[in-house]
Amino acid sequence: MTRTTRSVFVALVVIVVVAALGFVYASPYIALDRVKRAADARDAQTVNEYVDFPALRDSLKQQVTELLTRRIDIQKSGNPLAVIGAMIGAALVGPLVDSYATPDGVAAILNGIPPRGDPGERPPVPSAASDSSVASGPVPAPEAPKPPQTTAGYRSFNTFVVTYQHGAGDARYSAIFRRSGLVSWRLVAVDLNG
């Protein structure tokens, strides 16, 4: 091997290694984009590849139960009917969690609409195209809600966190992804405390 051939070979190896490391680093951002697009498109098969639903369900159950417990603690000194309402909400944690541990729920979470812990709460359903036979004229488009401020980054080598906040005074929450393999990531938890 000549010196020039060796230099070219070393340069190619360095380029391949840097590209591979760049791909490993970017892999959670790619996974986040893919799962968000799939959830928005209601592509359940693709969402299932990027979401660990049993782990997400456990996380949501814990987070919503804590949210309701804090509400009950705050309302104990106030209105007794509010306490009863919060207790009823605590009894309905299961159905709320089940409704958010779905592709529609994942779409809501990744679009800045986390569960609030309200009794009977369900993730918003995408609006269907209006039926022209029912409408008698042009229907004004609803004003789109302002997208949340989003930050994303590694918490550790195997944990990637996306934090959402709608405004400076609004509550924050996080979607937590865990590494599953070298470049595969799955949504495993939600932290409603930010």
Side-chain angles (χ1 to χ4, degrees):
M1 222 186 250
T2 66
R3 185 175 211 158
T4 305
T5 308
R6 200 172 326 147
S7 297
V8 169
F9 179 73
V10 169
L12 286 174
V13 168
V14 168
I15 290 170
V16 168
V17 168
V18 168
L21 290 174
F23 181 71
V24 169
Y25 177 81
S27 62
Y29 295 95
I30 295 167
L32 172 63
D33 180 61
R34 287 182 181 162
V35 72
K36 185 171 179 339
R37 286 176 190 261
D40 288 344
R42 304 313 188 254
D43 178 357
Q45 183 177 357
T46 303
V47 170
N48 286 336
E49 293 174 19
Y50 290 99
V51 179
D52 181 348
F53 281 108
L56 180 62
R57 190 174 280 111
D58 290 344
S59 169
L60 283 168
K61 186 173 186 177
Q62 176 189 358
Q63 292 292 311
V64 172
T65 301
E66 288 175 9
L67 181 71
L68 291 171
T69 302
R70 282 193 306 272
R71 252 189 229 163
I72 290 171
D73 290 343
I74 289 170
Q75 294 173 351
K76 277 184 180 175
S77 61
N79 184 352
L81 292 177
V83 174
I84 292 171
M87 287 183 192
I88 291 171
L92 299 174
V93 166
L96 185 150
V97 167
D98 289 341
S99 71
Y100 268 88
T102 63
D104 284 342
V106 170
I109 290 168
L110 296 178
N111 282 303
I113 309 168
R116 295 177 313 276
D118 297 335
E121 179 182 2
R122 301 186 94 43
V125 178
S127 58
S130 60
D131 185 355
S132 60
S133 65
V134 176
S136 60
V139 178
E143 186 175 321
K146 185 177 179 183
Q149 297 171 347
T150 306
T151 57
Y154 282 89
R155 185 177 283 170
S156 69
F157 181 73
N158 293 321
T159 306
F160 184 79
V161 179
V162 184
T163 303
Y164 300 86
Q165 185 173 12
H166 281 280
D170 292 341
R172 297 177 344 152
Y173 77 97
S174 301
I176 301 168
F177 289 77
R178 286 237 164 46
R179 186 182 300 276
S180 130
L182 184 59
V183 294
S184 300
W185 293 84
R186 299 186 80 190
L187 175 64
V188 296
V190 173
D191 181 358
L192 297 177
N193 299 318

